[in-house]
Amino acid sequence: MQTARCTRNRTRASRVAGICTVTHCTDTTKCLISLDKSNCKCAVGYYGDLCDKVATINVMCGKDYITIMVNEDFFHYYKVPMESLHLKNESCRAQKEVMSDVPYYIVRISKDQYISCGGKPLEKNITHIAYALTLMSAPQVYGNIIRDPMIKIEYTCIYPYIRTVSLPYPIIPFSSETVMRMGELDATVEMALFTDHTYTEAFQSSPLIHLRDRVYVEIKVMELEDVFHLRVNECWATQSPKPNQTDGSVHTLLRNGCVNDKTVTFLNTTMGANGEASTIRYSFDMFRFVVEPHDLYLHCTVRLCSLDDDEPCIPECKSITKRAAVRGDPTQGLLSYGPIRIDIPDRPQSNLLLMMVPMAGIWVLGLFLLALITIAKAGNRRLSQLANC
């Protein structure tokens, strides 16, 4: 029995070990033989007589829902019917869904159902809170005996422990995320800015960027990245945090998934182009608006695409349309990031001004000396007149 743990923004797959056949256990990376060599078991992550099948268990820790997905073949191998799968409360049962032609048994509950479905007491510390659940199978009874093993999988979702506090200064976010829904699944999409083209270090505070320097943007599916592709529809910059502001300046970088600013370039990697992968990276030259404030706020609308969706996800850049509305469509979302601050160097003082200061001093000094000479001459004439008398 293994434990699957995932944080708010990441999903880690749990693996379950199965029983294998001793005569077929030749690969020690996939199966383990007991010391007396009387039995063996598959290594974590494998099952089957040859331990050649992967037991994939995905845990999605959504904003409002907790979901576990297990491939159907795993339960078929252990002769466990879907009808026997449930949480601790047997009324919270599994359902079958097919995704990308692969059938899964899925249990999805809201956080409000956590206690009633048999969730364990919440574990809290100063920074996080943990939700722990158990997916199990009812025993298969034959007459008065049970021969098949029971399946029991424990999984945990760990979330940041959010508390409301009052601070004398604002908290500036260094990333933006939104939760989007397609069908019965929630996917978390995040936008962040990185310090250079390697995309290895994200900004941990409000970025300060020089004019003409490259701005490196990454938008990615943080949860269910293997299930969805991502398309960036529109990206634009404003002078305020409000994406749909009517006052102030607006500059459009991407429109309808295509380049609208000539400095924008998509990063060509094995991830794929816009609409072909779950991670999109692009960059553009830093700029500022003519009028203040010079700080920028970046906004992007994104769309989730199912891998087996008939509607094309890759944009056609021959025709440009107006900014698509995202309101009311759960497969589309809006991300906002900022402020992005512009590093403007101090302007040097004018040389003309520096030259005029000493010139003005010379003129004042000259006039002062002229006044003294005039007063001295007048005094001498007065003394000469008195002497003659």
Side-chain angles (χ1 to χ4, degrees):
M1 180 177 65
Q2 301 285 321
T3 299
R5 283 180 169 264
C6 64
T7 64
R8 170 67 180 84
N9 294 324
R10 287 169 174 77
T11 300
R12 297 180 185 173
S14 163
R15 302 291 185 259
V16 177
I19 299 174
C20 63
T21 304
V22 175
T23 55
H24 294 152
C25 186
T26 57
D27 188 348
T28 57
T29 63
K30 295 183 178 181
C31 63
L32 306 172
I33 300 179
S34 62
L35 294 177
D36 59 3
K37 297 184 178 182
S38 62
N39 58 70
C40 75
K41 66 177 181 178
C42 295
V44 173
Y46 298 94
Y47 70 98
D49 293 341
L50 303 178
C51 293
D52 57 346
K53 296 183 178 182
V54 178
T56 303
I57 300 176
N58 293 324
V59 179
M60 283 75 73
C61 305
K63 179 181 178 182
D64 301 310
Y65 292 87
I66 299 174
T67 306
I68 183 170
M69 300 171 51
V70 186
N71 57 315
E72 181 184 52
D73 185 69
F74 170 79
F75 294 108
H76 280 183
Y77 176 77
Y78 289 109
K79 298 181 175 60
V80 175
M82 183 191 68
E83 293 75 18
S84 69
L85 291 172
H86 57 80
L87 300 182
K88 191 172 183 180
N89 183 337
E90 295 187 9
S91 64
C92 302
R93 310 192 73 83
Q95 296 179 342
K96 181 178 177 179
E97 291 188 18
V98 178
M99 304 183 64
S100 301
D101 297 327
V102 178
Y104 291 90
Y105 291 167
I106 297 178
V107 178
R108 182 173 184 269
I109 66 168
S110 67
K111 288 183 179 178
D112 295 336
Q113 297 174 293
Y114 176 76
I115 299 299
S116 61
C117 283
K120 297 180 180 179
L122 294 176
E123 296 182 7
K124 300 179 183 179
N125 58 24
I126 297 176
T127 59
H128 290 82
I129 181 171
Y131 293 75
L133 293 157
T134 303
L135 176 64
M136 62 185 72
S137 63
Q140 302 297 303
V141 180
Y142 303 93
N144 61 348
I145 64 171
I146 297 174
R147 178 163 283 130
D148 296 323
M150 290 177 55
I151 299 295
K152 190 175 183 181
I153 305 172
E154 292 186 348
Y155 57 103
T156 303
C157 280
I158 302 175
Y159 296 86
Y161 189 22
I162 301 174
R163 291 166 291 179
T164 302
V165 296
S166 178
L167 295 175
Y169 51 87
I171 296 295
I172 300 175
F174 55 87
S175 67
S176 172
E177 73 172 35
T178 184
V179 178
M180 302 164 63
R181 176 174 296 181
M182 175 172 280
E184 294 298 318
L185 298 178
D186 287 340
T188 301
V189 181
E190 182 183 76
M191 177 167 67
L193 265 61
F194 286 77
T195 57
D196 57 38
H197 67 281
T198 63
Y199 287 87
T200 55
E201 183 180 353
F203 282 103
Q204 299 300 307
S205 60
S206 182
L208 183 65
I209 304 176
H210 293 277
L211 291 175
R212 280 289 179 184
D213 281 358
R214 297 297 287 178
V215 181
Y216 298 95
V217 185
E218 179 184 81
I219 305 175
K220 66 186 299 185
V221 180
M222 301 296 294
E223 295 178 1
L224 301 180
E225 64 273 15
D226 297 330
V227 178
F228 297 115
H229 280 172
L230 186 67
R231 166 175 163 167
V232 182
N233 284 329
E234 325 290 332
C235 285
W236 66 100
T238 64
Q239 292 179 292
S240 79
K242 299 178 181 179
N244 297 318
Q245 68 171 31
T246 56
D247 56 340
S249 300
V250 177
H251 179 67
T252 302
L253 297 165
L254 299 175
R255 190 186 298 275
N256 198 33
C258 304
V259 171
N260 191 73
D261 180 312
K262 64 180 181 180
T263 69
V264 172
T265 57
F266 284 93
L267 183 65
N268 294 322
T269 66
T270 55
M271 297 178 184
N274 190 10
E276 292 184 335
S278 59
T279 298
I280 305 298
R281 291 172 175 174
Y282 74 92
S283 63
F284 61 92
D285 283 354
M286 186 60 181
F287 64 92
R288 70 173 178 86
F289 292 109
V290 176
V291 297
E292 294 185 349
H294 296 317
D295 293 348
L296 305 180
Y297 291 85
L298 183 63
H299 315 279
C300 291
T301 60
V302 295
R303 173 187 152 203
L304 284 179
C305 303
S306 176
L307 300 184
D308 55 0
D309 196 348
D310 295 332
E311 186 176 353
C313 193
I314 302 174
E316 297 181 2
C317 295
K318 295 181 180 179
S319 60
I320 304 298
T321 61
K322 293 183 178 180
R323 185 178 302 156
V326 300
R327 187 174 299 174
D329 187 351
T331 66
Q332 298 197 56
L334 173 66
L335 295 160
S336 294
Y337 183 104
I340 306 171
R341 304 189 186 281
I342 293 86
D343 189 3
I344 303 177
D346 295 333
R347 295 180 179 177
Q349 294 182 346
S350 172
N351 293 332
L352 178 61
L353 178 61
L354 293 175
M355 292 178 62
M356 288 182 65
V357 172
M359 290 296 294
I362 292 173
W363 277 103
V364 172
L365 179 60
L367 291 174
F368 178 71
L369 291 175
L370 182 61
L372 288 178
I373 293 171
T374 302
I375 294 172
K377 287 183 177 180
N380 289 335
R381 286 197 299 268
R382 180 64 177 170
L383 290 174
S384 298
Q385 293 174 357
L386 291 175
N388 293 333
C389 294

